Amino acid sequence: MFPIVHTRRLSDAVFEMGVEAPRIARKARAGQFLILRVDATGERIPLTFSDWSAEEGWIRFIFMQVGKTTHKLSHLEVGDSLADVVGPLGVPTHTDELGRVAVVGGGVGAAVAYPVARAMAEAGADVTVILGARTADLLILREEFEALPVKLIVCTDDGSAGEKALVTAPLKALCEEGAIDHAMAIGPAVMMKFCAETTREFGVPTTVSLNPIMVDGTGMCGACRVTVGGETKFGCVDGPDFDGHAVDFEELMSRQRVYNEEEREADAEYARGCQCHQ
Amino acid sequence: MSSVEQGTGAEKPRHKPSRGPRVSMPERPAAERAQDFAEVPIGYTEEMAHAEAMRCIQCKNPTCIEGCPVNIDIKSFIAHMIDRDYPAAVAVLKERNALPAICGRVCPQEEQCEIVCVLARKGEPVAIGRLERWLGDYDLACELEGRCVPEVAPATGNRAAIVGSGPAGLACAGELARLGNAVTIFESLHATGGVLTYGIPEFRLPLDIVEAEIDMLAQMGVEIVTDAVIGATYTLDELMGEEGFDTVFIGAGAGLPVFLGIPGENLNGVYSANEFLTRVNLMRAYEFPHADTPVARGRKVAVVGGGNVAMDAARTALRLGAEEVFLVYRRTEDEMPARREEVHHAAEEGVAFKMLCSPVEIVGREGFVTGMVANRMELGEPDDSGRRSPVCVMGSEFEIECDTVIIAVGTRAHPLVTQTAPDLELSSRGYIHTNDDGATNLPGVYAGGDIVTGAATVIEAMGAGKKAARAMDRWMRERG
Ligand SMILES: Cc1cc2nc3c(=O)[nH]c(=O)nc-3n(C[C@H](O)[C@H](O)[C@H](O)COP(=O)(O)OP(=O)(O)OC[C@H]3O[C@@H](n4cnc5c(N)ncnc54)[C@H](O)[C@@H]3O)c2cc1C
Ligand SMILES: Cc1cc2nc3c(=O)[nH]c(=O)nc-3n(C[C@H](O)[C@H](O)[C@H](O)COP(=O)(O)OP(=O)(O)OC[C@H]3O[C@@H](n4cnc5c(N)ncnc54)[C@H](O)[C@@H]3O)c2cc1C
Ligand code: SF4
Ligand code: SF4
Ligand code: FES
């Protein structure tokens, strides 16, 4: 069992959680993820480390409530425990010798962008963070980013915070100015796709952090397969980071939808027995 | 006739062998069992087991023993059964096989011990596997009542780490513990048992049997750490270094699924057998939405392959409610590597066989599978292995309608552990290289099971685990 030692609500549907997991905390690196199971009948879901402390033995992650598992998670409090947490999984994000880099964090992707931007800055990169959300209420971790040695550009679709723009607009501007040598995009698949489209014409190498459906997270099932440069890769062990210009995003998005109907059914059933919407 | 004892020589016949036919195994009716996940064979009663044991003629040269990969003294355990001394029979079994209730169920007996039983030449061999299963169950029932936890030797003060809790790891752990060592198993999944838990379905191997065997290890003092990926949570170096283990056994299995590499393979509805079986067995997707993990419940399911894994996937799909399940295999039924018994069970339950077909493309609409294009094959000249290899019939392409495709064409070595241990010597295909005792090129590091041999059998994995355990024990004692 993994005791929950911290919870915080970051926006209506986005939550931060910390659990005691000293072994994992010792090893976690930016860009890696964990797989958790809430309880004995739970699904195994992957979430990226948003922070960790090797000294204090905890790890944190940030999740958006989108279905049954994240819904269950959102009800847990300090003192409760998770049945399973395994990690760190995946290849850490490459942070060395990047020069000038733009890190785009869209929506809950900001949670992943945070440790990545921090690690890049620590490795000596000149980092510009583009933080985007649909609206101000959904913008997360703004203060945390402001405390990092990075340039911060905030934008929202509706202009309720920062610029009124999609994240691709400032990204494009940076490309046009020739201000970046590398880009990293983390967020919903469609956002990563458009970021990659944006940088492609400028020839700016772009890394994306993919989020295919997973089961074991250790290379055993192939649920997480993605096509990169015409080749099938396993997101969990070959990734989650890949060359954004080579990823088949249409396939990724299609594969993410495979259980939509079942998942709606499961969450609806769960919500009926759950007090939070009454 | 030569090896039939006629009362000459030192060994007197212990009994008058029965000339009755092989006692058949009661099974649940196909129509009933294809609806659920409960076990298909019901198992012998004591009287049935005894009657079957009585068929053994107690050969002077018991050829059966050589057929068993771990050389169980079959003749002797059957002799004890004849005398109805079951605890003694169990003791003989356990000298070589830590998990008889499991092997009695899943061993390909018909091509190991039973095929070389003297009686096989004249008709039907002794049902060695079924006897073993009965004894295993007898033993488990005793264990559950706490009557027969194996004796543990005085503590040696040595510590062994086991990577992976499949049959290789479990057998290794059990033997090391019995020899007085402190043992910790590290398993990357949340559940123990390896393929026994996530792969082989409950209708062939009920989970509570695997669990009972694992409980037994816990009673012997073996510590089990789940959610620990070696190569990620710990590296091999760390186990041998700061974690303070004297020796490590790697039993990580050959769990990496192989795909066909044909167009359309990433459409929704295409699964590796590993994913499909893991969702159903380990994650209990058949109880969805009570259990949270979904799985596609296909109407028409095509399973590609001809081994045990393909049979398990096909029969599982049927149990999830598919209207039609067919097996697509490149050769003919005769060449299928699956156990005859399983092929027979699958056919009885309604799995259809499309033989001499080779998929060339999976087709779909809006991201989901709608069918599979295959070529017809015919058997050509025998190849080096003596098997007639299939050759494609030109222009024979045809489409099969289906909404789910399960690929069961094999697995490869699991690379996670070995990737982080660069000095570990591997074979060209990524399997770990060991000597006969299971020792790798790294001092104190041993390996066994599918990660050494490639996909093989439960009993071979257990045999390797046990053999390595003895070598590890020696190594630790000699090192002092
Ligand atoms: C490497 C990786 C890192 C991720 N990091 C984060 C993160 O830091 N924060 C965050 O909020 N989300 C993250 N995700 C996505 C997160 O795993 C899903 O939102 C979560 O599984 C949803 O589960 P659910 O039961 O609540 O919703 P469901 O109703 O089951 O699913 C909602 C959607 O989530 C996706 N999903 C469902 N099951 C899985 C699964 N087993 N694996 C992957 N995706 C799935 C599907 O696209 C589905 O349409 C990450 C995914 C991956 C692969
Ligand atoms: C569907 C199916 C049906 C089968 N049917 C039969 C049958 O009827 N009869 C028969 O004899 N054989 C059968 N087999 C084959 C048999 O199951 C295997 O040969 C046997 O399980 C191999 O045992 P193992 O201990 O080497 O590996 P596995 O059983 O694969 O166990 C390996 C374990 O190691 C864990 N692991 C892997 N990597 C790590 C890591 N880095 N850190 C920690 N843990 C790790 C895995 O999660 C797993 O639990 C079948 C196989 C399958 C897949
Ligand atoms: S372990 Fe398998 S091969 Fe050996 S005697 Fe038992 S059933 Fe036969
Ligand atoms: S099992 Fe068969 S081979 Fe073995 S002793 Fe009995 S009759 Fe002989
Ligand atoms: S999640 Fe199973 S192989 Fe990647």
Side-chain angles (χ1 to χ4, degrees), chain A residues 2 23-24 26-27 37 39 41-44 68-69 72 83-89 213-223 225-227 232 234 237 251 254-259 262-263 265-266 269, chain B residues 188-190 198 225-229 232-235 238 242-243 255-257 259 265-272 274-275 278-279 282-283 288-297 366-368 414-416:
Chain A
F2 293 79
R23 282 185 203 125
I24 302 175
R26 248 179 10 189
K27 287 291 177 65
R37 218 167 55 115
D39 53 34
T41 55
E43 187 172 11
R44 294 173 65 97
K68 182 172 175 184
T69 306
K72 274 186 183 174
D84 300 281
V85 179
V86 59
L89 301 172
I213 290 182
M214 295 187 178
V215 184
D216 60 297
T218 62
M220 214 184 72
C221 74
R225 49 198 199 281
V226 289
T227 301
T232 295
F234 285 7
V237 284
E251 180 185 276
S254 167
R255 287 183 63 78
Q256 285 176 336
R257 284 191 296 267
V258 56
Y259 299 114
E262 286 89 347
E263 277 151 358
E265 176 194 337
E269 198 210 60
Chain B
S188 60
L189 292 172
H190 58 264
Y198 76 74
V225 183
T226 51
D227 296 324
V229 186
T233 322
Y234 301 95
T235 62
E238 286 166 342
E242 58 226 61
E243 298 297 326
L256 203 76
F259 286 89
E265 219 168 6
N266 292 346
L267 284 165
N268 292 328
V270 182
Y271 289 99
S272 71
N274 264 9
E275 182 187 352
T278 299
R279 282 183 180 271
L282 179 71
M283 305 309 299
F288 183 86
H290 168 64
D292 300 350
T293 306
V295 69
R297 289 177 180 252
E366 287 164 16
F368 284 81
H414 205 298
L416 261 180

Side-chain angles (χ1 to χ4, degrees), chain A residues 31-33 89-91 208-211 214 235-242:
Chain A
Q32 287 188 299
F33 63 95
L89 301 172
V91 182
V208 291
S209 173
L210 301 188
N211 49 0
M214 295 187 178
C236 66
V237 284
D238 299 325
D241 291 357
F242 290 100

